[in-house]
């Protein structure tokens, strides 16, 4: 499936019905969810569905949802409520987005689909309790919850979801459906300063759950290696200042590249990709690394083992020594890297395509719309019940005749006889 609009005509709607109208709600600018929504909007619009994406303005600037065939609205609750006014289905991507959607849908009978993108193990204390309470409210309010991995489906059910299903999102491809063209790895490595030395890459926002502090701990143990590996991290976020201070103070062989639009090019030039996160569902980095045949070292958390299978090296989260050792062993073993490259491509071939993902989501929408058509609102249901099953009619039944007085007996034809 292309990530740009497909030029074939939209199919006719059955029985003259108007096109299905959906609203896709994003709660942030995360790369995984934004790319998934862009891909989904492209496929739905190509199938004749009217799509509105409600997201932060900066997400529209980077992912061009309107270029995918969707309408765009900012993620303010007022704008979201207006967008939801004529929707047949609202689809929220992540718990924060679902909270906004619930506020916008208050008082409206529009089915809500939630793609469950939990944020890993819940924090302890009051903040953790509040997070679990919000997740329970979202799970119970959703008509259907879609989990990107089996652990997400289990978590949604534990939070009270009525209907939780596995729906693995595809990793979006380049426009036209072909793999993104890969630049000359030599030029990329020269730009990064990795000529004649190993290149290790991590991609993702600079936030605590990404585990970059553990990666820096591992990089500290590589300072004695010859040649010295270079670690590059592509991403931006609130931890930049903290990580920069550590890199400078400890003399670590690490570069922070900031947000990069050529992340796939960087990944293709790397010797090893690392995913040190405390939690991941269906990591876009892991998918791209395996598709490109780049050896992957990742933490065995969340949906990563299910996604990667035997095509990557898995280590415990937070174990810097295990992470460092796994990377060093791969750098020293080209044959093992070749095995992992082949295994990665084979594993990637088993994942759903973008067409598969769009078809599954659209089938959920169709199911909910059909269910809604056959389930009238409460006042209509009461009227229908009264029409089909009217209240029983009261029939007047005369009381039984009185018993005759003593000494009298009924005569012929009801006359009175003597004694």
């Amino acid at each position: 499936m292309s990530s740009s609009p497909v030029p074939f005509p939209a199919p006719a709607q059955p029985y003259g019905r108007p096109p299905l109208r959906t609203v896709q709600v994003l709660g942030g600018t995360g790369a995984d969810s934004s790319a998934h929504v862009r891909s989904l909007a492209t496929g739905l619009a190509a199938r004749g569905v009217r799509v509105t994406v409600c997201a932060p303005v900066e997400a529209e600037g980077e992912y061009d949802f309107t270029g995918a065939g969707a309408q765009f609205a900012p993620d303010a609750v007022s704008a979201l409520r207006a967008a939801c006014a004529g929707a047949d289905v609202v689809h929220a991507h992540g718990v924060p987005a679902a909270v906004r959607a619930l506020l916008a849908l208050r008082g409206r009978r529009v089915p809500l689909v939630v793609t469950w993108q939990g944020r890993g193990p819940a924090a302890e204390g009051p903040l953790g309790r509040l997070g679990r309470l919000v997740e329970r409210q979202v799970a119970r309010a959703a008509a259907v919850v879609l989990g990107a991995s089996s652990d997400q489906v289990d978590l949604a059910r534990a939070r009270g979801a009525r209907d939780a299903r596995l729906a693995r999102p595809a990793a979006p491809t380049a426009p036209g459906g072909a793999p993104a063209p890969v630049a000359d790895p030599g030029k990329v490595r020269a730009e990064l300063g990795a000529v004649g030395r190993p290149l290790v890459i991590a991609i993702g926002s600079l936030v605590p759950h990404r585990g970059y502090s553990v990666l820096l701990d591992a990089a500290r143990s590589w300072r004695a290696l010859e040649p010295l590996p270079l670690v590059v991290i592509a991403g931006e976020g609130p931890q930049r200042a903290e990580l920069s201070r550590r890199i400078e103070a400890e003399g670590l062989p690490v570069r922070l590249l900031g947000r990069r639009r050529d992340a796939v090019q960087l990944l293709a030039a790397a010797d090893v990709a690392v995913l040190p996160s405390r939690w991941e569902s269906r990591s876009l980095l892991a998918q791209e690394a395996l598709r490109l045949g780049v050896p992957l070292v990742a933490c065995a958390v969340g949906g990563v083992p299910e996604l990667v299978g035997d095509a990557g090296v898995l280590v415990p989260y937070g174990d810097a020594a295990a992470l460092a050792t796994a990377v060093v062993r791969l750098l020293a073993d080209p044959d093992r890297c070749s095995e992992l490259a082949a295994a990665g491509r084979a594993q990637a071939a088993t994942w759903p395509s973008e067409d598969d993902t769009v078809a599954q989501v659209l089938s959920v929408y169709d199911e909910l719309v059909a269910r809604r058509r056959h389930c009238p609102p409460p006042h209509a249901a009461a009227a229908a019940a009264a029409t089909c099953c009217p209240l029983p009619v009261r029939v007047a039944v005369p009381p039984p005749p009185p018993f005759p007085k003593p000494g009298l007996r009924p005569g012929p034809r009801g006359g009175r006889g003597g004694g």
Side-chain angles (χ1 to χ4, degrees):
M1 170 61 64
S2 168
S3 58
S4 61
V6 179
F8 57 77
Q13 300 299 316
Y15 311 111
R17 290 176 184 165
L20 183 69
R21 297 161 299 177
T22 73
V23 176
Q24 308 290 321
V25 187
L26 271 169
T29 57
D32 291 10
S33 55
S34 298
H36 172 55
V37 169
R38 214 273 183 184
S39 170
L40 191 59
T42 301
L44 291 173
R47 288 162 171 79
V49 179
R50 292 182 180 174
V51 182
T52 299
V53 175
C54 290
V57 174
E58 53 267 31
E60 163 63 12
E62 181 162 356
Y63 291 93
D64 187 22
F65 301 115
T66 53
Q71 293 184 325
F72 176 78
D75 61 344
V77 173
S78 57
L80 178 55
R81 185 167 177 81
C84 292
D88 296 302
V89 178
V90 174
H91 189 161
H93 299 265
V95 172
V99 172
R100 287 179 174 273
L102 288 173
L103 291 173
L105 290 174
R106 184 175 297 171
R108 293 174 176 167
R109 298 184 66 256
V110 179
L112 174 65
V113 176
V114 176
T115 292
W116 195 269
Q117 297 170 343
R119 288 157 287 184
E124 299 298 328
L127 189 59
R129 289 194 293 272
L130 177 60
R132 288 188 290 273
L133 176 61
V134 171
E135 288 179 349
R136 281 197 295 271
Q137 291 178 333
V138 167
R140 294 172 181 175
V144 174
V145 174
L146 302 177
S149 56
S150 297
D151 68 305
Q152 289 295 285
V153 175
D154 293 341
L155 178 58
R157 288 171 178 162
R159 294 290 189 261
R162 294 171 289 171
D163 186 346
R165 311 178 190 182
L166 183 62
R168 299 184 178 98
T173 59
V182 177
D184 180 2
K187 291 182 179 180
V188 174
R189 295 174 73 97
E191 175 206 336
L192 297 174
V195 176
R197 62 192 296 197
L199 178 61
V200 178
I201 188 169
I203 301 173
S205 53
L206 306 183
V207 292
H209 89 267
R210 295 290 184 188
Y212 292 135
S213 60
V214 178
L215 179 57
L216 296 191
D217 291 340
R220 186 169 53 204
S221 71
W222 298 333
R223 290 179 298 182
L225 297 179
E226 186 64 38
L228 177 65
L230 173 64
V231 180
V232 296
I233 302 175
E236 197 53 79
Q239 274 200 308
R240 168 175 273 278
E242 175 188 339
L243 296 174
S244 297
R245 284 193 296 269
R246 273 201 63 186
I247 292 167
E248 183 176 358
E250 300 176 27
L252 301 178
V254 179
R255 285 187 59 189
L256 301 180
L257 304 180
R259 186 185 294 272
R260 297 285 294 248
R261 300 185 69 89
D262 60 345
V264 173
Q265 317 295 336
L266 302 178
L267 184 58
D271 296 294
V272 175
V274 291
L275 186 65
S277 303
R278 179 173 67 97
W279 179 87
E280 292 282 351
S281 174
R282 196 168 177 85
S283 165
L284 193 55
L285 166 65
Q287 293 180 74
E288 292 289 2
L290 268 60
R291 270 204 313 208
L292 291 169
V294 178
L296 174 71
V297 177
C299 291
V301 296
V304 173
E306 180 179 271
L307 174 68
V308 172
D310 296 327
V313 179
L314 301 181
V315 298
Y317 167 73
D319 191 335
L323 179 64
T325 300
V327 171
V328 170
R329 285 177 176 171
L330 286 179
L331 294 177
D333 191 345
D335 291 339
R336 176 61 175 153
C337 288
S338 297
E339 292 174 2
L340 288 176
R345 294 188 179 99
Q347 179 75 358
T350 68
W351 298 334
S353 67
E354 290 184 272
D355 277 328
D356 296 333
T357 298
V358 173
Q360 181 183 13
V361 171
L362 187 55
S363 71
V364 172
Y365 295 170
D366 287 339
E367 175 188 334
L368 293 176
V369 170
R371 188 189 305 173
R372 185 183 177 195
R373 287 196 183 107
H374 292 88
C375 181
H379 63 277
T387 303
C388 300
C389 303
L391 293 176
V393 178
R394 290 185 176 274
V395 179
V397 179
F403 289 102
K405 295 181 180 180
L408 298 177
R409 57 183 177 83
R413 298 184 183 274
R416 297 178 67 179

